[in-house]
Amino acid sequence: MENQDWISPPPPKDLTGQEIFTGTGASISDFWRFAMSDLRMNNTRGYLAEFLVANAIGLQNVKRTEWDAYDLLLDDIRIEVKSSAYLQAWEQPRLSRISFSGLRGTRYHPRHGYDPVGRGLNAHVYVFCVQTATSHETYEPLNVNQWSFYVLKRSVLLQHGRNSIGLQAVSRLSDGPTAWANLRAEILHASKLEVIEDSPWWD
């Protein structure tokens, strides 16, 4: 396996949005409007939450990696970002219950497969982001004051012991919501003494 010639992708290019699809009059901005104009969509809201946290902690020119075991890296602090909202991109009979799933993930290496230990908490700190609007008329996803952020240590989630968690538990286990402007300080504080045993499983 080690002798195999691997196809390694180069780093992604920075796009301005003005690039044109060859043979068409369409631009990257047109594609972005097509794919991600609705920030209420679950996937897009998750990307937005990651971006807001990255911006809050001072990460510059960072790009998300789809298959990573965690979402963001601040120095050596691994951060997982989860998002939820009361309103969705579809009709709903009532406001959604705020919950966060997929807390535990399986580490993966393209040359060595999945970690045989299975699912685990792969970040030092978890940031739970709630878009708090309760009517579409007032929904402002670009307004950080409409978001609530909760920071939890890995060790606290280990004691919780489940793969999902509701807002009530998040609020109880954390120190309450953290202002967007204070996320960096709160993450640095929460990461102290948090340890992840993650030696390569292929050694």
Side-chain angles (χ1 to χ4, degrees), residues 2-106:
E2 288 298 329
N3 294 326
Q4 178 176 342
D5 290 330
W6 287 84
I7 303 172
S8 299
K13 296 179 180 178
D14 288 333
L15 298 175
T16 66
Q18 303 307 308
E19 295 83 358
I20 300 297
F21 288 90
T22 302
T24 78
S27 69
I28 290 293
S29 289
D30 295 326
F31 166 68
W32 288 340
R33 277 191 291 271
F34 166 78
M36 291 191 292
S37 282
D38 193 344
L39 299 180
R40 295 166 300 182
M41 294 190 303
N42 285 340
N43 285 349
T44 308
R45 187 184 64 239
Y47 302 154
L48 176 58
E50 291 176 29
F51 173 79
L52 291 177
V53 174
N55 195 258
I57 63 179
L59 296 182
Q60 302 294 323
N61 300 318
V62 64
K63 296 179 178 65
R64 72 183 310 275
T65 302
E66 188 73 17
W67 50 265
D68 265 2
Y70 49 88
D71 295 320
L72 301 171
L73 188 65
L74 175 61
D75 298 326
D76 59 350
I77 303 168
R78 300 174 185 181
I79 304 165
E80 181 75 10
V81 179
K82 295 294 183 182
S83 75
S84 190
Y86 294 103
L87 295 172
Q88 309 301 329
W90 54 84
E91 284 189 315
Q92 53 194 116
R94 64 191 64 84
L95 296 176
S96 296
R97 175 181 175 272
I98 302 297
S99 63
F100 308 91
S101 59
L103 302 182
R104 297 171 182 269
T106 303

Side-chain angles (χ1 to χ4, degrees), residues 174-192:
S174 69
D175 292 327
T178 297
W180 176 83
N182 297 334
L183 275 176
R184 181 184 175 93
E186 187 64 22
I187 288 170
L188 290 172
H189 174 73
S191 68
K192 292 178 180 178

